[in-house]
Amino acid sequence: MAQNRYRVLVVEDEGNILSFMATMLEAKDYQVLTARTAAEGMLLFRSHNPDLMILDLGLPDGDGLDVVKAVRETSSAPILILSARMGENDKVQALDLGANDYITKPFSTAELLARVRAALRNRGNANGSDSAPSDTLTIGNLSINYDSRRIFARGEEVKLTQTEYNILVLLAENRGKVLTYSSIIKAIWGATDDGSIKKLQVNMSNIRRKLHGDLMHRYIHNELGVGYRMLDENEQY
Ligand code: CA
């Protein structure tokens, strides 16, 4: 724990939530910066270059979505959105603008810390994939062999179609990050039409069946109304 000096910027206007998060993160030895407005958040982001930003979307002086947009113009630092239960649309927009993940209020300490760890690891994955790609990606009991385009679960081959394979690889390479339905559809089929979501759901249910349920539930979360998210192997809450 003493090695953990990740710098986390928390932007949230509700004082009790802000101090709760700061206390939780500081207890785990994160360096915490706090801001209560979008303007202050941007200022601190630019001056302190944090490793992770936790961002509430409903801020008194502006829309959190504009903050996501502004940050993404210059930085790929992970952004974790704090969202109210009813804010499905905002969540999807924030993810499509480049936010990594979201957490819905109210949340537990364990959930917050798990999402923070996953987002920071996700940053590592993104950096790593720019350099030397390895021919195998292993996530817990799942293993992807890029050369042969084959997937193994607990050492046994899982026979996937090309499309199912492509979807699974996309999720695996973005583990810890929520991919919205439309971003998956764009990546896999290039364009969206009326049948796209249905097509994606059919493919996901085939993957689910082929992965024997328990593995699927363990690794791939269906974020209802938003998208899909593959968990990191160490991520549990
Ligand atoms: Ca708020």
Side-chain angles (χ1 to χ4, degrees), residues 32-91:
V32 182
L33 299 157
T34 60
R36 286 169 180 255
T37 63
E40 197 188 348
M42 278 312 299
L43 200 67
L44 285 177
F45 187 88
R46 293 202 172 109
S47 56
H48 288 76
N49 191 27
D51 299 292
L52 168 72
M53 181 185 223
I54 302 178
L55 176 67
D56 179 35
L57 288 180
L59 294 165
D61 62 329
D63 193 331
L65 293 174
D66 294 330
V67 177
V68 176
K69 231 181 283 176
V71 165
R72 274 295 166 267
E73 281 171 12
T74 59
S75 166
S76 61
I79 302 173
L80 182 57
I81 295 297
L82 285 176
S83 125
R85 195 163 292 284
M86 300 313 289
E88 298 290 304
N89 255 343
D90 283 354
K91 250 179 337 207

Tab-separated table of all heavy atoms in Angstrom, residues 32-91:
chain	number	residue	atom	x	y	z
A	32	VAL	N	-5.353	12.460	-3.112
A	32	VAL	CA	-6.671	12.909	-3.557
A	32	VAL	C	-6.712	14.428	-3.729
A	32	VAL	O	-6.275	15.182	-2.865
A	32	VAL	CB	-7.773	12.473	-2.564
A	32	VAL	CG1	-9.144	12.906	-3.053
A	32	VAL	CG2	-7.736	10.957	-2.364
A	33	LEU	N	-7.240	14.837	-4.876
A	33	LEU	CA	-7.507	16.256	-5.138
A	33	LEU	C	-9.014	16.379	-5.253
A	33	LEU	O	-9.653	15.518	-5.842
A	33	LEU	CB	-6.899	16.666	-6.478
A	33	LEU	CG	-5.393	16.533	-6.623
A	33	LEU	CD1	-5.035	16.411	-8.096
A	33	LEU	CD2	-4.716	17.731	-6.002
A	34	THR	N	-9.594	17.436	-4.703
A	34	THR	CA	-11.051	17.562	-4.793
A	34	THR	C	-11.453	18.888	-5.411
A	34	THR	O	-10.804	19.915	-5.222
A	34	THR	CB	-11.716	17.444	-3.402
A	34	THR	OG1	-11.210	18.488	-2.561
A	34	THR	CG2	-11.445	16.105	-2.766
A	35	ALA	N	-12.561	18.832	-6.163
A	35	ALA	CA	-13.131	20.036	-6.761
A	35	ALA	C	-14.642	19.929	-6.672
A	35	ALA	O	-15.189	18.833	-6.729
A	35	ALA	CB	-12.692	20.152	-8.218
A	36	ARG	N	-15.319	21.075	-6.526
A	36	ARG	CA	-16.781	21.072	-6.396
A	36	ARG	C	-17.490	21.654	-7.615
A	36	ARG	O	-18.709	21.679	-7.670
A	36	ARG	CB	-17.200	21.870	-5.159
A	36	ARG	CG	-16.924	21.138	-3.863
A	36	ARG	CD	-17.111	22.083	-2.696
A	36	ARG	NE	-16.856	21.405	-1.446
A	36	ARG	CZ	-17.820	21.019	-0.600
A	36	ARG	NH1	-19.080	21.237	-0.877
A	36	ARG	NH2	-17.500	20.403	0.518
A	37	THR	N	-16.721	22.145	-8.568
A	37	THR	CA	-17.341	22.682	-9.785
A	37	THR	C	-16.590	22.152	-11.007
A	37	THR	O	-15.449	21.695	-10.902
A	37	THR	CB	-17.267	24.227	-9.824
A	37	THR	OG1	-15.880	24.616	-9.876
A	37	THR	CG2	-17.939	24.854	-8.610
A	38	ALA	N	-17.248	22.265	-12.169
A	38	ALA	CA	-16.620	21.840	-13.420
A	38	ALA	C	-15.371	22.681	-13.696
A	38	ALA	O	-14.326	22.152	-14.091
A	38	ALA	CB	-17.611	21.981	-14.573
A	39	ALA	N	-15.463	23.974	-13.454
A	39	ALA	CA	-14.336	24.870	-13.736
A	39	ALA	C	-13.130	24.529	-12.869
A	39	ALA	O	-11.996	24.427	-13.356
A	39	ALA	CB	-14.748	26.324	-13.509
A	40	GLU	N	-13.393	24.318	-11.576
A	40	GLU	CA	-12.313	23.972	-10.656
A	40	GLU	C	-11.723	22.611	-11.028
A	40	GLU	O	-10.504	22.400	-10.973
A	40	GLU	CB	-12.877	23.940	-9.235
A	40	GLU	CG	-11.834	23.986	-8.153
A	40	GLU	CD	-12.438	23.743	-6.754
A	40	GLU	OE1	-13.685	23.766	-6.617
A	40	GLU	OE2	-11.646	23.517	-5.837
A	41	GLY	N	-12.595	21.686	-11.428
A	41	GLY	CA	-12.151	20.363	-11.848
A	41	GLY	C	-11.203	20.439	-13.040
A	41	GLY	O	-10.143	19.809	-13.050
A	42	MET	N	-11.562	21.227	-14.048
A	42	MET	CA	-10.711	21.375	-15.233
A	42	MET	C	-9.370	22.003	-14.875
A	42	MET	O	-8.320	21.609	-15.376
A	42	MET	CB	-11.408	22.239	-16.291
A	42	MET	CG	-12.413	21.490	-17.161
A	42	MET	SD	-11.805	19.918	-17.835
A	42	MET	CE	-10.400	20.442	-18.819
A	43	LEU	N	-9.445	23.012	-13.994
A	43	LEU	CA	-8.223	23.705	-13.566
A	43	LEU	C	-7.263	22.726	-12.886
A	43	LEU	O	-6.075	22.660	-13.217
A	43	LEU	CB	-8.630	24.822	-12.599
A	43	LEU	CG	-7.633	25.939	-12.383
A	43	LEU	CD1	-7.473	26.737	-13.677
A	43	LEU	CD2	-8.121	26.863	-11.253
A	44	LEU	N	-7.801	21.928	-11.949
A	44	LEU	CA	-6.964	20.967	-11.231
A	44	LEU	C	-6.469	19.868	-12.165
A	44	LEU	O	-5.347	19.388	-12.040
A	44	LEU	CB	-7.731	20.349	-10.061
A	44	LEU	CG	-7.911	21.252	-8.841
A	44	LEU	CD1	-8.756	20.538	-7.787
A	44	LEU	CD2	-6.562	21.645	-8.248
A	45	PHE	N	-7.327	19.474	-13.108
A	45	PHE	CA	-6.908	18.446	-14.055
A	45	PHE	C	-5.698	18.932	-14.843
A	45	PHE	O	-4.701	18.226	-14.994
A	45	PHE	CB	-8.039	18.062	-15.012
A	45	PHE	CG	-7.668	16.885	-15.873
A	45	PHE	CD1	-7.892	15.586	-15.432
A	45	PHE	CD2	-7.021	17.069	-17.093
A	45	PHE	CE1	-7.491	14.499	-16.186
A	45	PHE	CE2	-6.612	15.982	-17.852
A	45	PHE	CZ	-6.850	14.698	-17.400
A	46	ARG	N	-5.781	20.167	-15.350
A	46	ARG	CA	-4.694	20.697	-16.177
A	46	ARG	C	-3.430	20.933	-15.375
A	46	ARG	O	-2.328	20.714	-15.872
A	46	ARG	CB	-5.145	22.000	-16.844
A	46	ARG	CG	-6.256	21.753	-17.860
A	46	ARG	CD	-6.358	22.856	-18.898
A	46	ARG	NE	-7.292	22.484	-19.951
A	46	ARG	CZ	-8.497	23.056	-20.119
A	46	ARG	NH1	-8.885	24.036	-19.325
A	46	ARG	NH2	-9.285	22.655	-21.092
A	47	SER	N	-3.584	21.382	-14.113
A	47	SER	CA	-2.388	21.717	-13.341
A	47	SER	C	-1.750	20.499	-12.674
A	47	SER	O	-0.564	20.493	-12.402
A	47	SER	CB	-2.712	22.795	-12.293
A	47	SER	OG	-3.763	22.362	-11.464
A	48	HIS	N	-2.535	19.438	-12.393
A	48	HIS	CA	-1.988	18.313	-11.625
A	48	HIS	C	-1.903	16.994	-12.381
A	48	HIS	O	-1.384	16.021	-11.841
A	48	HIS	CB	-2.800	18.107	-10.345
A	48	HIS	CG	-2.569	19.178	-9.327
A	48	HIS	ND1	-3.118	20.425	-9.431
A	48	HIS	CD2	-1.822	19.194	-8.201
A	48	HIS	CE1	-2.743	21.165	-8.405
A	48	HIS	NE2	-1.947	20.441	-7.645
A	49	ASN	N	-2.438	16.962	-13.591
A	49	ASN	CA	-2.309	15.766	-14.419
A	49	ASN	C	-2.577	14.461	-13.646
A	49	ASN	O	-1.706	13.593	-13.554
A	49	ASN	CB	-0.881	15.753	-15.015
A	49	ASN	CG	-0.737	14.704	-16.086
A	49	ASN	OD1	-1.712	14.338	-16.735
A	49	ASN	ND2	0.470	14.193	-16.250
A	50	PRO	N	-3.781	14.311	-13.102
A	50	PRO	CA	-4.073	13.131	-12.272
A	50	PRO	C	-4.071	11.827	-13.074
A	50	PRO	O	-4.224	11.843	-14.293
A	50	PRO	CB	-5.475	13.424	-11.728
A	50	PRO	CG	-6.081	14.356	-12.711
A	50	PRO	CD	-4.951	15.189	-13.248
A	51	ASP	N	-3.900	10.703	-12.365
A	51	ASP	CA	-3.933	9.386	-13.004
A	51	ASP	C	-5.362	8.944	-13.290
A	51	ASP	O	-5.588	8.086	-14.138
A	51	ASP	CB	-3.266	8.349	-12.092
A	51	ASP	CG	-1.814	8.691	-11.846
A	51	ASP	OD1	-1.032	8.598	-12.812
A	51	ASP	OD2	-1.468	9.093	-10.720
A	52	LEU	N	-6.296	9.514	-12.536
A	52	LEU	CA	-7.705	9.129	-12.677
A	52	LEU	C	-8.585	10.299	-12.266
A	52	LEU	O	-8.259	11.015	-11.314
A	52	LEU	CB	-8.003	7.926	-11.772
A	52	LEU	CG	-9.480	7.546	-11.557
A	52	LEU	CD1	-10.079	6.910	-12.804
A	52	LEU	CD2	-9.618	6.575	-10.385
A	53	MET	N	-9.694	10.475	-12.995
A	53	MET	CA	-10.662	11.503	-12.612
A	53	MET	C	-11.989	10.825	-12.296
A	53	MET	O	-12.474	10.002	-13.068
A	53	MET	CB	-10.849	12.479	-13.770
A	53	MET	CG	-11.813	13.608	-13.491
A	53	MET	SD	-12.049	14.590	-15.000
A	53	MET	CE	-11.987	16.233	-14.320
A	54	ILE	N	-12.551	11.154	-11.134
A	54	ILE	CA	-13.887	10.677	-10.779
A	54	ILE	C	-14.800	11.888	-10.907
A	54	ILE	O	-14.554	12.924	-10.280
A	54	ILE	CB	-13.931	10.106	-9.344
A	54	ILE	CG1	-12.926	8.963	-9.198
A	54	ILE	CG2	-15.348	9.645	-8.998
A	54	ILE	CD1	-12.861	8.362	-7.798
A	55	LEU	N	-15.811	11.789	-11.743
A	55	LEU	CA	-16.553	12.972	-12.153
A	55	LEU	C	-18.063	12.810	-11.998
A	55	LEU	O	-18.666	11.908	-12.576
A	55	LEU	CB	-16.212	13.250	-13.627
A	55	LEU	CG	-16.928	14.376	-14.341
A	55	LEU	CD1	-16.525	15.729	-13.767
A	55	LEU	CD2	-16.635	14.328	-15.839
A	56	ASP	N	-18.653	13.701	-11.220
A	56	ASP	CA	-20.113	13.769	-11.123
A	56	ASP	C	-20.618	14.510	-12.355
A	56	ASP	O	-20.002	15.484	-12.792
A	56	ASP	CB	-20.473	14.523	-9.835
A	56	ASP	CG	-21.977	14.667	-9.668
A	56	ASP	OD1	-22.713	13.742	-10.058
A	56	ASP	OD2	-22.408	15.709	-9.146
A	57	LEU	N	-21.733	14.054	-12.930
A	57	LEU	CA	-22.207	14.710	-14.157
A	57	LEU	C	-23.043	15.958	-13.869
A	57	LEU	O	-23.109	16.867	-14.679
A	57	LEU	CB	-23.027	13.736	-15.012
A	57	LEU	CG	-22.232	12.635	-15.714
A	57	LEU	CD1	-23.151	11.738	-16.519
A	57	LEU	CD2	-21.139	13.214	-16.608
A	58	GLY	N	-23.697	15.996	-12.695
A	58	GLY	CA	-24.531	17.153	-12.379
A	58	GLY	C	-23.775	18.150	-11.514
A	58	GLY	O	-23.745	18.028	-10.300
A	59	LEU	N	-23.144	19.128	-12.155
A	59	LEU	CA	-22.334	20.099	-11.420
A	59	LEU	C	-22.991	21.483	-11.510
A	59	LEU	O	-23.684	21.779	-12.480
A	59	LEU	CB	-20.913	20.137	-11.998
A	59	LEU	CG	-20.123	18.835	-11.802
A	59	LEU	CD1	-18.896	18.801	-12.685
A	59	LEU	CD2	-19.750	18.639	-10.338
A	60	PRO	N	-22.772	22.332	-10.498
A	60	PRO	CA	-23.514	23.595	-10.441
A	60	PRO	C	-23.203	24.551	-11.593
A	60	PRO	O	-24.075	25.311	-12.009
A	60	PRO	CB	-23.073	24.201	-9.100
A	60	PRO	CG	-21.834	23.486	-8.715
A	60	PRO	CD	-21.916	22.128	-9.330
A	61	ASP	N	-21.981	24.504	-12.111
A	61	ASP	CA	-21.610	25.503	-13.122
A	61	ASP	C	-21.532	24.929	-14.526
A	61	ASP	O	-21.038	25.576	-15.443
A	61	ASP	CB	-20.254	26.117	-12.762
A	61	ASP	CG	-19.153	25.074	-12.751
A	61	ASP	OD1	-19.443	23.901	-12.432
A	61	ASP	OD2	-18.001	25.409	-13.052
A	62	GLY	N	-21.993	23.707	-14.702
A	62	GLY	CA	-21.910	23.180	-16.059
A	62	GLY	C	-22.166	21.699	-16.094
A	62	GLY	O	-22.382	21.055	-15.074
A	63	ASP	N	-22.114	21.162	-17.283
A	63	ASP	CA	-22.428	19.772	-17.516
A	63	ASP	C	-21.147	18.952	-17.462
A	63	ASP	O	-20.150	19.308	-18.104
A	63	ASP	CB	-23.060	19.686	-18.913
A	63	ASP	CG	-23.705	18.342	-19.150
A	63	ASP	OD1	-23.226	17.353	-18.559
A	63	ASP	OD2	-24.664	18.283	-19.910
A	64	GLY	N	-21.175	17.859	-16.709
A	64	GLY	CA	-20.017	16.979	-16.646
A	64	GLY	C	-19.614	16.449	-18.016
A	64	GLY	O	-18.446	16.142	-18.254
A	65	LEU	N	-20.594	16.334	-18.930
A	65	LEU	CA	-20.287	15.840	-20.280
A	65	LEU	C	-19.285	16.759	-20.978
A	65	LEU	O	-18.407	16.299	-21.712
A	65	LEU	CB	-21.566	15.740	-21.123
A	65	LEU	CG	-22.585	14.694	-20.685
A	65	LEU	CD1	-23.850	14.798	-21.520
A	65	LEU	CD2	-22.011	13.285	-20.787
A	66	ASP	N	-19.402	18.071	-20.731
A	66	ASP	CA	-18.447	19.008	-21.329
A	66	ASP	C	-17.049	18.819	-20.751
A	66	ASP	O	-16.050	19.020	-21.433
A	66	ASP	CB	-18.907	20.459	-21.104
A	66	ASP	CG	-20.197	20.750	-21.867
A	66	ASP	OD1	-20.400	20.129	-22.929
A	66	ASP	OD2	-20.991	21.585	-21.383
A	67	VAL	N	-17.006	18.432	-19.478
A	67	VAL	CA	-15.705	18.164	-18.848
A	67	VAL	C	-15.063	16.945	-19.509
A	67	VAL	O	-13.876	16.956	-19.840
A	67	VAL	CB	-15.849	17.948	-17.322
A	67	VAL	CG1	-14.514	17.592	-16.697
A	67	VAL	CG2	-16.456	19.182	-16.659
A	68	VAL	N	-15.866	15.888	-19.735
A	68	VAL	CA	-15.332	14.683	-20.399
A	68	VAL	C	-14.757	15.062	-21.764
A	68	VAL	O	-13.641	14.682	-22.116
A	68	VAL	CB	-16.433	13.603	-20.571
A	68	VAL	CG1	-15.887	12.404	-21.344
A	68	VAL	CG2	-16.972	13.155	-19.214
A	69	LYS	N	-15.532	15.845	-22.504
A	69	LYS	CA	-15.109	16.260	-23.843
A	69	LYS	C	-13.789	17.038	-23.787
A	69	LYS	O	-12.860	16.761	-24.546
A	69	LYS	CB	-16.194	17.158	-24.459
A	69	LYS	CG	-16.623	16.741	-25.852
A	69	LYS	CD	-17.677	17.692	-26.420
A	69	LYS	CE	-19.066	17.447	-25.819
A	69	LYS	NZ	-20.087	18.415	-26.296
A	70	ALA	N	-13.720	17.995	-22.869
A	70	ALA	CA	-12.529	18.837	-22.760
A	70	ALA	C	-11.304	18.017	-22.352
A	70	ALA	O	-10.216	18.183	-22.907
A	70	ALA	CB	-12.774	19.965	-21.762
A	71	VAL	N	-11.479	17.111	-21.398
A	71	VAL	CA	-10.347	16.285	-20.950
A	71	VAL	C	-9.854	15.399	-22.090
A	71	VAL	O	-8.649	15.280	-22.326
A	71	VAL	CB	-10.747	15.422	-19.727
A	71	VAL	CG1	-9.731	14.317	-19.470
A	71	VAL	CG2	-10.903	16.305	-18.492
A	72	ARG	N	-10.781	14.802	-22.830
A	72	ARG	CA	-10.395	13.880	-23.901
A	72	ARG	C	-9.678	14.565	-25.074
A	72	ARG	O	-9.031	13.902	-25.875
A	72	ARG	CB	-11.623	13.123	-24.419
A	72	ARG	CG	-11.952	11.885	-23.625
A	72	ARG	CD	-10.884	10.803	-23.716
A	72	ARG	NE	-11.065	9.765	-22.695
A	72	ARG	CZ	-10.488	9.767	-21.498
A	72	ARG	NH1	-9.639	10.728	-21.168
A	72	ARG	NH2	-10.712	8.800	-20.633
A	73	GLU	N	-9.777	15.902	-25.153
A	73	GLU	CA	-9.032	16.584	-26.214
A	73	GLU	C	-7.530	16.471	-26.005
A	73	GLU	O	-6.762	16.517	-26.947
A	73	GLU	CB	-9.441	18.066	-26.270
A	73	GLU	CG	-10.763	18.250	-27.001
A	73	GLU	CD	-11.295	19.667	-26.881
A	73	GLU	OE1	-10.536	20.559	-26.436
A	73	GLU	OE2	-12.475	19.866	-27.225
A	74	THR	N	-7.115	16.334	-24.739
A	74	THR	CA	-5.675	16.340	-24.477
A	74	THR	C	-5.186	15.130	-23.696
A	74	THR	O	-3.985	14.953	-23.544
A	74	THR	CB	-5.276	17.582	-23.660
A	74	THR	OG1	-6.016	17.562	-22.433
A	74	THR	CG2	-5.579	18.867	-24.410
A	75	SER	N	-6.084	14.316	-23.158
A	75	SER	CA	-5.624	13.290	-22.226
A	75	SER	C	-6.417	11.998	-22.361
A	75	SER	O	-7.614	12.016	-22.660
A	75	SER	CB	-5.778	13.818	-20.790
A	75	SER	OG	-5.649	12.762	-19.866
A	76	SER	N	-5.737	10.873	-22.132
A	76	SER	CA	-6.440	9.588	-22.136
A	76	SER	C	-6.555	9.035	-20.720
A	76	SER	O	-6.836	7.852	-20.526
A	76	SER	CB	-5.716	8.599	-23.044
A	76	SER	OG	-4.411	8.398	-22.555
A	77	ALA	N	-6.319	9.885	-19.708
A	77	ALA	CA	-6.447	9.434	-18.322
A	77	ALA	C	-7.858	8.888	-18.093
A	77	ALA	O	-8.830	9.452	-18.590
A	77	ALA	CB	-6.186	10.598	-17.368
A	78	PRO	N	-7.978	7.765	-17.365
A	78	PRO	CA	-9.314	7.198	-17.158
A	78	PRO	C	-10.257	8.149	-16.424
A	78	PRO	O	-9.849	8.863	-15.516
A	78	PRO	CB	-9.059	5.931	-16.346
A	78	PRO	CG	-7.645	5.964	-15.927
A	78	PRO	CD	-6.916	6.939	-16.775
A	79	ILE	N	-11.517	8.140	-16.852
A	79	ILE	CA	-12.559	8.947	-16.219
A	79	ILE	C	-13.654	8.005	-15.733
A	79	ILE	O	-14.183	7.205	-16.499
A	79	ILE	CB	-13.172	9.960	-17.209
A	79	ILE	CG1	-12.088	10.879	-17.773
A	79	ILE	CG2	-14.285	10.765	-16.535
A	79	ILE	CD1	-12.579	11.806	-18.889
A	80	LEU	N	-13.945	8.102	-14.451
A	80	LEU	CA	-15.000	7.302	-13.833
A	80	LEU	C	-16.160	8.241	-13.521
A	80	LEU	O	-16.005	9.197	-12.773
A	80	LEU	CB	-14.420	6.675	-12.564
A	80	LEU	CG	-15.250	5.748	-11.697
A	80	LEU	CD1	-15.775	4.569	-12.489
A	80	LEU	CD2	-14.384	5.236	-10.541
A	81	ILE	N	-17.307	7.970	-14.131
A	81	ILE	CA	-18.468	8.845	-13.978
A	81	ILE	C	-19.269	8.461	-12.739
A	81	ILE	O	-19.498	7.286	-12.481
A	81	ILE	CB	-19.389	8.697	-15.225
A	81	ILE	CG1	-18.683	9.212	-16.480
A	81	ILE	CG2	-20.725	9.382	-15.016
A	81	ILE	CD1	-18.355	10.664	-16.455
A	82	LEU	N	-19.689	9.473	-11.977
A	82	LEU	CA	-20.621	9.249	-10.875
A	82	LEU	C	-21.990	9.608	-11.390
A	82	LEU	O	-22.185	10.708	-11.898
A	82	LEU	CB	-20.309	10.185	-9.718
A	82	LEU	CG	-19.110	9.862	-8.874
A	82	LEU	CD1	-18.929	10.968	-7.853
A	82	LEU	CD2	-19.300	8.533	-8.173
A	83	SER	N	-22.925	8.698	-11.266
A	83	SER	CA	-24.201	9.003	-11.875
A	83	SER	C	-25.368	8.672	-10.970
A	83	SER	O	-25.308	7.751	-10.164
A	83	SER	CB	-24.273	8.282	-13.221
A	83	SER	OG	-25.400	7.489	-13.290
A	84	ALA	N	-26.423	9.446	-11.100
A	84	ALA	CA	-27.659	9.159	-10.383
A	84	ALA	C	-28.347	8.009	-11.088
A	84	ALA	O	-28.102	7.765	-12.271
A	84	ALA	CB	-28.542	10.385	-10.377
A	85	ARG	N	-29.187	7.290	-10.382
A	85	ARG	CA	-29.820	6.101	-10.928
A	85	ARG	C	-30.596	6.376	-12.221
A	85	ARG	O	-30.645	5.552	-13.113
A	85	ARG	CB	-30.755	5.495	-9.875
A	85	ARG	CG	-31.182	4.092	-10.186
A	85	ARG	CD	-31.731	3.402	-8.964
A	85	ARG	NE	-30.717	3.160	-7.953
A	85	ARG	CZ	-29.804	2.205	-8.019
A	85	ARG	NH1	-29.784	1.398	-9.048
A	85	ARG	NH2	-28.914	2.047	-7.070
A	86	MET	N	-31.202	7.549	-12.324
A	86	MET	CA	-32.051	7.827	-13.475
A	86	MET	C	-31.284	8.349	-14.691
A	86	MET	O	-31.859	8.540	-15.743
A	86	MET	CB	-33.149	8.834	-13.100
A	86	MET	CG	-34.068	8.353	-11.993
A	86	MET	SD	-34.652	6.659	-12.225
A	86	MET	CE	-35.766	6.908	-13.611
A	87	GLY	N	-30.009	8.587	-14.539
A	87	GLY	CA	-29.278	9.244	-15.617
A	87	GLY	C	-28.737	8.340	-16.710
A	87	GLY	O	-27.596	8.493	-17.130
A	88	GLU	N	-29.541	7.385	-17.219
A	88	GLU	CA	-29.053	6.439	-18.229
A	88	GLU	C	-28.482	7.130	-19.476
A	88	GLU	O	-27.416	6.776	-19.955
A	88	GLU	CB	-30.182	5.513	-18.688
A	88	GLU	CG	-30.753	4.639	-17.597
A	88	GLU	CD	-29.790	3.563	-17.138
A	88	GLU	OE1	-29.336	2.782	-17.977
A	88	GLU	OE2	-29.466	3.526	-15.942
A	89	ASN	N	-29.214	8.125	-19.950
A	89	ASN	CA	-28.792	8.810	-21.171
A	89	ASN	C	-27.455	9.499	-21.024
A	89	ASN	O	-26.582	9.409	-21.881
A	89	ASN	CB	-29.831	9.873	-21.543
A	89	ASN	CG	-30.652	9.400	-22.720
A	89	ASN	OD1	-30.240	8.473	-23.421
A	89	ASN	ND2	-31.789	10.026	-22.924
A	90	ASP	N	-27.305	10.217	-19.906
A	90	ASP	CA	-26.059	10.914	-19.622
A	90	ASP	C	-24.888	9.942	-19.533
A	90	ASP	O	-23.809	10.208	-20.026
A	90	ASP	CB	-26.162	11.670	-18.296
A	90	ASP	CG	-26.963	12.940	-18.454
A	90	ASP	OD1	-27.317	13.262	-19.601
A	90	ASP	OD2	-27.231	13.593	-17.434
A	91	LYS	N	-25.163	8.805	-18.889
A	91	LYS	CA	-24.127	7.793	-18.736
A	91	LYS	C	-23.631	7.325	-20.096
A	91	LYS	O	-22.430	7.263	-20.351
A	91	LYS	CB	-24.728	6.584	-18.009
A	91	LYS	CG	-24.219	6.433	-16.635
A	91	LYS	CD	-24.767	5.301	-15.820
A	91	LYS	CE	-26.068	4.657	-16.075
A	91	LYS	NZ	-26.667	4.069	-14.867
